[in-house]
């Protein structure tokens, strides 16, 4: 009788291939949350009549759709099939990237970015669902760490890569680069990614999905435009209040739906709920920091776009290093201190930068340690929180759980950028203080993440997770067995197929 562990080398190869392809797509999705940041000066040159507030929607429109549709996309992937949703979303992402590069004005660029966000929302939960379905239970935390590290590295590398591309070409190149990568991953994925039977049968609630997307968008509009309309303006608060009501309605509706837009039942896990809240604040601080840094360097220190991109590279490199170390070397039960200590270090760095930085360039003395250490602790923290969220959900909820956690991160990032735009608008954007306030704001957001992080990886939560490992192993074994039987049946129906006893077992072994 064939078991799920009869051919470990084949399983390892399949898991490694799946991790590599999905990590490449994940890298692109998260890269596009920050790669545009350093291109802002070039965007402002091409569109001189657009305000900074309007231009921030080039970042925000991507983040809003990304955040709003992640949870629904996770459920959709569970119904339709993770491989199909992953490859289809990747194709949409590539097409939208080409449209961004060709956009003749800001309005069309913002619209294309929104479509890009839809594609990214489909890729992420399906990607992690594919990875975990192919990974043996004992390697699950390590796989999550590596997959999460790709997102952390991408977000950190965005400004430096963007600086190089914009300097060599122009802002459109930061979108063109996605197209060939998407094509390669799609072709390879069609040949190499396995297809597993769907784990759900009912599509998510359409009304709830639309309501939560509109609600998140309305909140971001109110926060982003508050500086232009005035914080005492009725228009500002009407938008914010309408968004809160719509999101609240969507959450309430989801509690009574068989296939909800937001799987609120996942929050019954205290560790998963804590991971969502933690990553919300981390996302807010991360996005503020990554956007305000290049703006400060190009506006106040008058760095070129290339120089600004290179100035943030040390942080990107160390973020990659710490993310991989945490994901592969530190056991989940030992990762809570990583998040707490990282938050304290980053807040201390933010206070130091607030008082030490100014109009005079001090790269080696201040910016280098501030950026390098800051990138290192953020990479470590994000990887730990991603691991916490992934291991705290049942395997049947892989995609939905990933979607909901990444929604929290992206929504936090959108909120952070909206607040940052208001903070900078309250000052003279040509003076250092506007950006120093933004640096401090990033530190405050990261510090706030410590409070919910105290509930991560508790002994009780880890004991509950340990009890589900048997279910995880059984689920993966059943998936592998179903795939092997399907391949055996397909091979048996071919002309000339071997009819000898044990033939099916041999086919299953080769799978």
């Amino acid at each position: 009788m064939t078991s799920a562990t009869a051919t470990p080398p084949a399983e390892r190869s399949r898991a490694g291939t799946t991790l590599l392809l999905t990590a490449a797509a994940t890298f692109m999705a998260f890269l596009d949350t920050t790669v545009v940041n350093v291109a802002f000066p070039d965007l402002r040159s091409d569109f001189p009549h657009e305000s900074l507030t309007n231009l921030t929607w080039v970042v925000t429109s991507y983040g809003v759709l990304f955040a709003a549709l992640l949870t629904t996309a996770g459920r959709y992937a569970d119904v339709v099939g993770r491989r199909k949703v992953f490859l289809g979303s990747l194709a949409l992402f590539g097409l939208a990237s080409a449209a961004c590069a060709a956009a003749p004005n800001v309005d069309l660029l913002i619209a294309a970015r929104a479509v890009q966000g839809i594609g990214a929302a489909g890729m992420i939960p399906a990607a992690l669902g594919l990875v975990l379905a192919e990974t043996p239970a004992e390697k699950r935390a390590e796989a999550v760490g590596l997959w999460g590290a790709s997102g952390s590295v991408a977000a950190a590398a965005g400004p430096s890569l963007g600086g190089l591309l914009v300097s060599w070409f122009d802002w459109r190149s930061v979108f063109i680069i996605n197209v060939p990568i998407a094509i390669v991953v799609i072709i390879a994925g069609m040949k190499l990614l396995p297809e597993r039977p769907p784990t759900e049968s009912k599509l998510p609630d359409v009304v709830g999905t639309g309501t939560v997307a509109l609600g998140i968008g309305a909140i971001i509009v109110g926060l982003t435009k508050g500086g232009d309309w005035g914080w005492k303006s009725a228009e500002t608060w009407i938008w914010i209040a309408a968004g809160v009501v719509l999101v609240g309605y969507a959450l309430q509706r989801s509690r009574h739906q068989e296939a909800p837009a937001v799987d609120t039942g996942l929050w019954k896990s205290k560790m998963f709920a804590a991971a969502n809240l933690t990553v919300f604040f981390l996302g807010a601080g991360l996005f503020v920091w990554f956007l305000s840094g290049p703006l400060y360097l190009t506006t106040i220190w008058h760095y070129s776009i290339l120089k600004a991109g290179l100035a943030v590279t040390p942080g990107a490199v160390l973020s990659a290093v710490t993310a991989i170390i945490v994901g592969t070397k530190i056991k989940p039960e030992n990762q809570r201190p990583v998040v707490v200590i990282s938050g304290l270090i980053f807040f201390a760095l933010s206070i130091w930068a607030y008082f030490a930085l100014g109009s005079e360039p001090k790269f080696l003395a201040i910016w280098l340690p501030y950026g390098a250490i800051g990138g290192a602790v953020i990479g470590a923290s994000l990887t730990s929180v991603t691991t916490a969220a992934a291991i705290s959900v049942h395997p049947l909820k892989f995609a939905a759980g990933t979607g909901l956690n990444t929604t929290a991160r992206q929504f936090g990032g959108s909120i952070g950028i909206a607040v940052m735009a208001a903070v900078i608008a309250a000052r003279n954007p040509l003076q250092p203080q506007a950006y120093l306030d933004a640096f401090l704001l990033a530190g405050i957001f990261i510090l706030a993440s410590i409070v919910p992080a105290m509930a991560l990886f508790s002994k009780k939560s880890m004991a509950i997770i340990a009890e589900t490992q048997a279910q995880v192993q059984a689920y993966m074994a059943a998936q592998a067995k179903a795939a092997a039987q399907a391949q055996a049946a397909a091979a048996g129906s071919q002309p000339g197929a071997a009819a000898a006893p044990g033939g099916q077992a041999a086919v299953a072994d080769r799978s």
Side-chain angles (χ1 to χ4, degrees):
M1 182 174 179
T2 303
S3 70
T5 58
T7 55
E11 286 189 14
R12 288 197 298 269
S13 176
R14 188 167 59 240
T17 299
T18 301
L19 178 61
L20 178 62
L21 292 176
T22 56
T26 301
F27 182 88
M28 280 199 302
F30 285 113
L31 181 71
D32 271 52
T33 62
T34 58
V35 73
V36 181
N37 295 351
V38 79
F40 258 62
D42 204 42
L43 275 170
R44 296 178 81 175
S45 297
D46 270 15
F47 307 109
H49 301 298
E50 295 288 344
S51 68
L52 177 62
T53 299
N54 287 339
L55 283 176
T56 60
W57 275 96
V58 176
V59 176
T60 304
S61 62
Y62 180 87
V64 166
L65 271 297
F66 194 1
L69 298 178
L70 269 165
T71 303
T72 304
R75 176 84 185 196
Y76 191 80
D78 287 339
V79 174
V80 176
R82 293 163 187 162
R83 180 177 179 272
K84 291 178 182 177
V85 171
F86 174 73
L87 294 176
S89 299
L90 182 56
L92 180 64
F93 183 88
L95 290 171
S97 297
C100 287
N105 55 56
V106 171
D107 290 340
L108 289 177
L109 175 59
I110 291 172
R113 282 282 284 170
V115 176
Q116 227 190 356
I118 295 172
M123 286 194 296
I124 298 304
L128 186 56
L130 285 168
V131 169
L132 294 179
E134 300 305 320
T135 304
E138 65 275 10
K139 295 290 185 179
R140 188 177 170 208
E142 182 178 341
V144 170
L146 289 171
W147 182 85
S150 68
S152 300
V153 172
S160 53
L161 179 59
L164 291 170
L165 291 172
V166 173
S167 296
W168 291 340
F169 306 102
D170 61 12
W171 64 265
R172 299 179 189 276
S173 61
V174 303
F175 300 113
I176 292 175
I177 192 174
N178 292 329
V179 178
I181 297 175
I183 292 172
V184 170
V185 175
I186 289 171
I187 293 173
M190 292 175 67
K191 295 180 178 180
L192 302 174
L193 287 178
E195 181 66 272
R196 298 298 188 199
T199 59
E200 299 285 352
S201 59
K202 191 174 180 61
L203 290 173
D205 175 33
V206 175
V207 174
T209 301
T211 304
V212 74
L214 290 173
I216 291 175
I219 293 171
I220 302 302
V221 168
L223 291 173
T224 302
K225 299 295 288 184
D228 294 337
W229 295 336
W231 291 106
K232 295 182 179 180
S233 166
E235 191 172 10
T236 298
W237 292 104
I238 287 173
W239 275 94
I240 294 174
V244 171
V245 169
L246 288 171
V247 171
Y249 170 76
L251 294 178
Q252 180 63 27
R253 180 182 174 88
S254 293
R255 294 176 60 190
H256 307 289
Q257 296 292 314
E258 183 181 349
V262 180
D263 194 346
T264 57
L266 293 174
W267 290 330
K268 292 179 181 178
S269 165
K270 291 183 179 180
M271 191 161 98
F272 184 76
N276 280 196
L277 191 54
T278 303
V279 85
F280 172 86
F281 288 114
L282 283 175
L286 174 77
F287 279 52
V288 169
W289 194 52
F290 283 161
L291 180 55
S292 59
L295 286 173
Y296 171 77
L297 293 171
T298 55
T299 305
I300 305 303
W301 286 5
H302 305 294
Y303 276 17
S304 66
I305 293 175
L306 175 59
K307 191 174 181 180
L310 294 175
V312 299
T313 297
V317 172
L318 285 179
S319 177
V321 171
T322 56
I324 293 172
I325 290 174
V326 170
T328 59
K329 302 298 183 182
I330 302 180
K331 295 181 179 180
E333 57 266 29
N334 299 326
Q335 288 188 20
R336 178 168 54 185
V338 172
V339 185
V340 175
I341 294 172
S342 294
L344 292 172
I345 292 174
F346 191 89
F347 182 65
L349 287 169
S350 300
I351 294 177
W352 177 48
Y354 181 81
F355 289 106
L357 289 172
S359 56
E360 180 183 350
K362 297 179 180 179
F363 177 78
L364 291 176
I366 301 173
W367 185 266
L368 180 59
Y370 169 55
I373 299 173
V377 297
I378 282 181
S381 186
L382 279 174
T383 301
S384 290
V385 177
T386 301
T387 300
I391 68 174
S392 59
V393 298
H394 191 276
L396 291 178
K397 300 288 185 179
F398 283 157
T402 304
L404 192 54
N405 191 62
T406 313
T407 291
R409 170 178 168 172
Q410 293 302 120
F411 185 39
S414 297
I415 293 291
I417 288 178
V419 175
M420 186 207 73
V423 166
I424 291 179
R427 300 279 191 175
N428 182 348
L430 298 179
Q431 295 297 320
Q433 193 60 50
Y435 304 97
L436 300 181
D437 289 350
F439 296 158
L440 185 60
L441 175 66
I444 292 171
F445 277 131
I446 300 293
L447 181 67
S449 71
I450 291 177
V451 177
M454 297 302 294
L456 299 178
F457 305 109
S458 66
K459 290 184 178 180
K460 183 177 180 180
S461 294
M462 295 306 293
I464 294 172
I465 290 168
E467 290 178 4
T468 66
Q469 287 303 306
Q471 297 178 23
V472 173
Q473 189 64 51
Y475 168 76
M476 291 180 175
Q479 292 283 73
K481 184 177 180 180
Q485 290 176 341
Q487 289 184 17
S493 65
Q494 295 296 321
Q504 286 192 353
V507 174
D509 286 340
R510 287 197 298 273
S511 68

